[in-house]
Amino acid sequence: MPKKLPHRYQAIVMPLVLSVLMSAIVSFVSTASGSGLQPGLLALWLKAWIFSWLVAFPSLLVVLPVVRRIVAATVEQPRSSS
């Protein structure tokens, strides 16, 4: 069984994975809708995705703590069953 990263890396791994997936999806949709389904779409999308990810990852590192505070202020926390 592969060894997992220690819990302390969660603050970096979660935004990393989220930024990869979200920037890939959004950049593909945007690129495909802007240029249409054409033979060079994959290369065009990869270029757009790399740039999008370079913006998305640092943005998530900054924005995620703010989002957590907003969610905590608007969503009721579960009651402890003690």
Side-chain angles (χ1 to χ4, degrees):
M1 178 174 227
K3 185 173 163 82
K4 292 183 178 183
L5 292 171
H7 185 266
R8 68 180 178 268
Y9 291 107
Q10 183 176 358
I12 295 294
V13 173
M14 203 259 275
L16 175 68
V17 172
L18 185 60
S19 67
V20 166
L21 294 174
M22 290 303 298
S23 64
I25 293 166
V26 171
S27 65
F28 180 79
V29 169
S30 179
T31 303
S33 72
S35 65
L37 298 176
Q38 59 175 321
L41 178 62
L42 184 61
L44 197 60
W45 166 67
L46 281 174
K47 194 184 299 184
W49 173 68
I50 289 168
F51 181 73
S52 297
W53 182 78
L54 288 173
V55 172
F57 182 56
S59 297
L60 271 173
L61 292 176
V62 171
V63 171
L64 202 53
V66 175
V67 170
R68 285 188 176 126
R69 279 187 237 126
I70 293 168
V71 170
T74 58
V75 175
E76 186 176 302
Q77 298 300 311
R79 296 181 184 155
S80 70
S81 56
S82 35

